[in-house]
Amino acid sequence: MRQRGDSIYLVDVRQPWEHDVARLPGEVLVPLDQLADRLDEITPPAGALVVTYCHHGIRSLNAAAILQQAGHTRVASLAGGIDAWSQLINPGIPRY
C-alpha cells in the first residue's frame, strides 16, 4: 500500500523497549495499555488507513477494535506484526 502511495497512518502499540529494538518508519508509538487514555494522539490525515501493529499481531487486533469503538472508521491490524514484516518485507528490521 505504501509503494502505491496510499495514505497509511501507522500506530505501534508495543512497549517502548520493543520499539527501541525494531520499528517501522513514520509511525506513532502508543502502547496498548495506554491507548484508551491517549486516543487524542491518534491523528491520521483525512482518508488515511490507520494500521495498528505489534510484535505478532495480537495486541494490534485489540488496538484496532479500541480505535474503531472510538470512531475511527478506516482501521486495520498488521497481520503477523513487525515480526512478519521483518521476514516478508524488510529483513533489515531486527527480529526479537
Side-chain angles (χ1 to χ4, degrees):
M1 293 178 75
R2 280 183 149 180
Q3 288 176 341
R4 286 194 313 252
D6 294 348
S7 184
I8 305 289
Y9 184 84
L10 291 171
V11 180
D12 182 349
V13 298
R14 298 172 301 147
Q15 292 299 308
W17 73 266
E18 294 175 284
H19 183 263
D20 291 342
V21 172
R23 72 188 96 185
L24 298 177
E27 40 80 290
V28 175
L29 173 65
V30 181
L32 179 61
D33 61 347
Q34 300 172 21
L35 184 59
D37 294 327
R38 295 175 57 189
L39 288 170
D40 60 327
E41 295 178 36
I42 308 303
T43 57
L49 175 64
V50 177
V51 178
T52 59
Y53 78 92
C54 61
H55 190 199
H56 289 114
I58 303 303
R59 287 175 282 179
S60 62
L61 286 171
N62 291 326
I66 290 168
L67 292 174
Q68 287 173 331
Q69 289 173 352
H72 291 276
T73 57
R74 297 197 65 220
V75 181
S77 170
L78 181 62
I82 197 167
D83 191 58
W85 185 280
S86 69
Q87 291 179 66
L88 302 171
I89 308 295
N90 183 353
I93 292 179
R95 295 184 68 205
Y96 63 99

